[in-house]
Amino acid sequence: MAPQKGNLMTFRKDIKVVDATIRDGGLCNNFYFTDEFIRDLYQTNLEAGVDYMEFGYKASKDLFDPAEFGKWKFCHDEDIYDIVGENDTDMKIAVMADVGRTNYKRDIVERSNSPIDLVRVATYINTIPSAIEMIEHCAKMGYETTCNIMAISKARKEDLLEALEMIGQSSANAVYLVDSYGSLYPEEIRVLSEMYMEKMDKYGKQVGIHAHNNQMLAFANTIEACAMGVSMLDATMNGMGRGAGNCMLEQLLGFLKNPNYHMTPVLRFLEKHMDKLREEGVQWGYNSAYLLTGRLNMHPRSAISFTKGKRHDYARFYLDLDQE
């Protein structure tokens, strides 16, 4: 087993914190955030020392009806410019582009004409060749890129090793370990982090982690990966994200010892905005239904439906799931 990198009293300069509140949180409210929310989030991330702020998806309007989603589903450059101006700051702007759901040749323009710095290409293990095609296009346009392999808890080790080798040889700057179903435990994260790090060290690339909180392990898994050398750490305000949500940004900043990170601005943002979202009916965060889909290594869609239906028959739900 590889040695731990650093300890609770040290900080690593290679660590980058990525705020994914708009993108993953947008899955909870169809990306209908007020401009005030987005502007305050941008300012909060600047004050907190966050390294990357992810604005949302570059989804294709050919596939998704703009009438059904807020503008951060599509992340037009002019909408981002309206929030960040020229973004003359140390914080970089990111978006996510899903394989098969993004018209990247049309909608992703030259980096010199865009406020975006980083394009995160999201893919499943079976669409890695298409992901690499997107990565090469975006890299050629001047962007930083990552490859976010989703649902790795369902991937075979042989396929994952081959995918990592392909990404290592690509123009991607980093590869992400994504626990989409919130089913992995810290011991498994440690093993996977070591696998990812070994492959990416060979190619001089970074590794990131994006954890979901179905078993209340998003924070534990994130800092376990960090201890193994993973350097790009995703988190969201109050854990806001699809289903059980993500690693909480306030929790992560409270853990990291880098004096450039500050938790107080985040706490002020929570006071102003996050409780209000919950009061308006936006749902996210751990409950027993998400625990069950996480334990069974299943997509949380059934638990999301269970939660929205205000059901409480957890035993019946579990039996039904376990028979699928």
Side-chain angles (χ1 to χ4, degrees), residues 16-296:
K16 304 295 181 186
V17 173
V18 182
D19 170 51
T21 303
I22 307 174
R23 202 273 307 162
D24 213 322
L27 296 169
C28 303
N29 66 350
N30 284 345
F31 302 89
Y32 287 116
F33 295 102
T34 65
D35 286 352
E36 180 190 23
F37 181 99
I38 302 298
R39 292 182 199 282
D40 285 357
L41 181 58
Y42 173 71
Q43 191 60 41
T44 297
N45 282 327
L46 288 175
E47 294 173 7
V50 167
D51 300 286
Y52 290 85
M53 178 174 169
E54 186 178 44
F55 267 73
Y57 285 98
K58 273 283 188 183
S60 171
K61 288 188 175 180
D62 300 329
L63 300 175
F64 298 94
D65 184 354
E68 296 178 6
F69 299 94
K71 57 189 171 185
W72 305 112
K73 178 78 170 178
F74 308 100
C75 282
H76 295 304
D77 286 354
E78 56 268 28
D79 290 328
I80 299 176
Y81 272 128
D82 189 46
I83 301 296
V84 309
E86 292 301 317
N87 188 37
D88 186 21
T89 74
D90 291 331
M91 185 172 71
K92 295 183 177 181
I93 305 303
V95 295
M96 181 164 280
D98 274 346
V99 169
R101 298 180 178 183
T102 304
N103 190 331
Y104 61 95
K105 292 181 180 178
R106 180 190 68 194
D107 295 335
I108 297 178
V109 302
E110 290 277 355
R111 164 69 188 87
S112 57
N113 298 322
S114 172
I116 298 164
D117 301 288
L118 167 66
V119 177
R120 310 208 304 168
V121 175
T123 179
Y124 290 103
I125 197 79
N126 63 321
T127 53
I128 291 291
S130 296
I132 290 176
E133 185 177 293
M134 289 176 66
I135 286 164
E136 297 303 340
H137 174 83
C138 293
K140 187 177 179 182
M141 302 288 271
Y143 295 94
E144 296 176 34
T145 58
T146 69
C147 186
N148 295 36
I149 310 175
M150 299 182 288
I152 58 162
S153 56
K154 290 284 192 181
R156 295 190 314 144
K157 181 179 179 180
E158 295 80 2
D159 292 340
L160 189 53
L161 285 169
E162 186 174 346
L164 291 173
E165 187 68 28
M166 293 169 68
I167 296 163
Q169 295 176 26
S170 77
S171 297
N173 298 93
V175 62
Y176 259 83
L177 191 169
V178 184
D179 183 15
S180 302
Y181 301 162
S183 65
L184 296 173
Y185 295 98
E187 185 175 346
E188 295 171 294
I189 291 291
R190 177 175 281 264
V191 172
L192 285 165
S193 297
E194 188 175 6
M195 179 196 302
Y196 276 57
M197 291 295 300
E198 183 179 345
K199 282 287 187 182
M200 293 305 116
D201 281 351
K202 184 170 76 169
Y203 292 102
K205 300 180 187 298
Q206 291 181 293
V207 177
I209 181 167
H210 180 86
H212 277 264
N213 207 33
N214 297 60
Q215 300 189 90
M216 296 192 78
L217 291 171
F219 173 63
N221 285 340
T222 298
I223 64 174
E224 186 73 17
C226 178
M228 296 305 295
V230 170
S231 53
M232 297 188 75
L233 311 178
D234 279 20
T236 63
M237 291 286 176
N238 204 217
M240 186 183 184
R242 185 206 62 197
N246 306 101
C247 176
M248 296 187 187
L249 185 61
E250 60 272 26
Q251 201 172 15
L252 181 61
L253 294 186
F255 166 79
L256 296 172
K257 298 302 182 284
N258 188 332
N260 292 327
Y261 296 134
H262 307 287
M263 188 166 62
T264 304
V266 173
L267 298 176
R268 291 197 187 102
F269 184 87
L270 300 185
E271 291 174 17
K272 182 176 180 181
H273 289 287
M274 301 313 291
D275 287 346
K276 182 181 177 185
L277 281 181
R278 290 186 186 277
E279 289 167 3
E280 291 170 353
V282 182
Q283 294 181 326
W284 75 89
Y286 170 84
N287 65 33
S288 298
Y290 293 123
L291 164 69
L292 298 175
T293 58
R295 184 181 182 278
L296 294 171

Side-chain angles (χ1 to χ4, degrees), residues 2-13:
Q4 181 168 307
K5 296 192 178 183
N7 58 51
L8 290 176
M9 293 301 294
T10 63
F11 75 87
R12 299 199 333 258
K13 292 183 179 180

